[in-house]
Each structure stands twice: as structure tokens, then as C-alpha cells.
């Protein structure tokens, strides 16, 4: 996918997320757009970083995560303002288009999915259970270590 197409899709998904954030969580549409604009800019910077020679070895999501971590950390001068603005976006409003895309991606490979047949069920259960158990374990250790629980 070309860079301009990717940017167009990011902007389109941001508008969908802003609508979901407004309808589902009663956040003003313009505040949602402002927050999602920041997230789109972070994504574009991460995307452009991943295209630089020498940085292509790592996936785009790594560079987007690095940019997001840097701009939200205290070393960035406007981090409190950025965090306050992006705090207006609900996680579930962001997840909805991502899950819809995942569903479409699975639908695209439906023939391959049928070849896996029943074997996908135990594998899925193991993956979901392992993810849940280890996420709960990490949360328990971290919250206990922080003194929250």
C-alpha cells in the first residue's frame, strides 16, 4: 500500500472512530477529531520512520509505538497537553474499526480458514486462555508491586 493511500485510510478510520466516540461515549465530535488527529499524526510519523533506510527491518507498529511513547513521556515538552487531548478517545471506539478490519481480513482468507477445520478451536482456546492468564498474572504482579492492591 502506498503512503498516500495509507494516510487516506488513517484519516477515514479516524473519522469513523470520532463518530463512534461521539455516539457511544457522548464526547464532542470536534474534541474527538482533535484527539484522533494527534493519533493520526503519530501514526504517520511512525509510518514515515519505518520507510527510512536502515529502519525497514522492524514493523511499522514498533515505530508508531516508539513515537507515541516519546510524545507522551515527560521528555516531550507538550506531553501533558497531548495526553489530556488524546484522553478524550475511548479505547473501545478505537477498537471497533480495528476489529471490523480483522473480521474482513479473516473473511478474505475463508478458504484457508476452512482447511484448518476443527483444529482451530483448541488452538484458539489455548491462545485466548494463555493471553488471559498471563495478562492477569502480569497485572496482579504489577498492581501488587505498585501498592494498588
Amino acid at each position: 500500500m502506498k503512503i498516500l493511500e495509507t494516510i487516506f485510510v488513517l484519516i477515514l478510520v479516524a473519522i469513523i472512530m470520532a463518530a463512534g466516540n461521539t455516539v457511544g461515549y457522548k464526547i464532542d465530535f470536534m474534541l474527538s477529531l482533535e484527539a484522533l488527529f494527534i493519533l493520526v499524526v503519530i501514526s504517520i510519523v511512525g509510518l514515515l520512520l519505518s520507510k527510512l533506510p536502515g529502519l525497514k527491518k522492524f514493523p511499522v507498529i514498533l515505530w508508531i509505538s516508539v513515537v507515541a511513547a516519546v510524545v507522551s513521556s515527560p521528555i516531550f515538552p507538550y506531553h501533558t497537553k497531548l495526553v489530556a487531548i488524546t484522553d478524550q478517545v475511548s479505547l473501545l471506539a478505537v477498537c471497533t474499526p480495528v476489529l471490523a478490519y480483522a473480521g474482513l481480513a479473516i473473511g478474505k482468507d475463508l478458504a484457508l480458514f476452512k482447511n484448518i477445520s476443527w483444529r482451530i478451536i483448541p488452538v484458539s482456546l489455548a491462545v485466548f486462555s494463555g493471553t488471559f492468564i498471563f495478562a492477569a498474572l502480569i497485572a496482579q504482579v504489577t498492581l501488587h508491586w505498585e501498592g494498588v492492591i
Side-chain angles (χ1 to χ4, degrees):
M1 186 180 282
K2 307 235 187 271
I3 291 176
L4 289 179
E5 291 174 354
T6 303
I7 292 171
F8 174 74
V9 169
L10 284 172
I11 292 170
L12 184 65
V13 171
I15 292 170
I16 294 170
M17 285 185 217
N21 203 35
T22 301
V23 172
Y25 301 97
K26 312 293 184 223
I27 305 293
D28 183 50
F29 185 73
M30 294 310 290
L31 288 176
S32 297
L33 273 182
E34 182 182 25
L36 288 164
F37 173 76
I38 292 171
L39 296 179
V40 166
V41 169
I42 290 171
S43 300
I44 290 171
V45 170
L47 175 69
L48 294 176
L49 278 175
S50 73
K51 301 296 180 192
L52 292 176
L55 302 179
K56 292 181 180 180
K57 296 177 185 175
F58 300 107
V60 176
I61 190 71
L62 172 78
W63 296 115
I64 292 172
S65 299
V66 167
V67 171
V70 168
V71 299
S72 63
S73 68
I75 62 171
F76 191 72
Y78 304 106
H79 74 280
T80 54
K81 180 83 172 160
L82 288 178
V83 170
I85 291 172
T86 55
D87 197 33
Q88 300 293 321
V89 178
S90 169
L91 175 66
L92 292 179
V94 174
C95 287
T96 303
V98 173
L99 292 175
Y101 178 74
L104 291 174
I106 288 174
K108 183 187 75 162
D109 298 329
L110 196 55
L112 180 64
F113 196 64
K114 286 180 182 175
N115 286 338
I116 297 173
S117 73
W118 63 270
R119 293 174 293 213
I120 193 69
I121 295 171
V123 170
S124 299
L125 289 175
V127 169
F128 294 149
S129 299
T131 303
F132 177 76
I133 289 170
F134 282 104
L137 183 67
I138 290 170
Q140 181 73 23
V141 169
T142 305
L143 292 175
H144 185 72
W145 184 44
E146 292 283 326
V148 176
I149 55 173

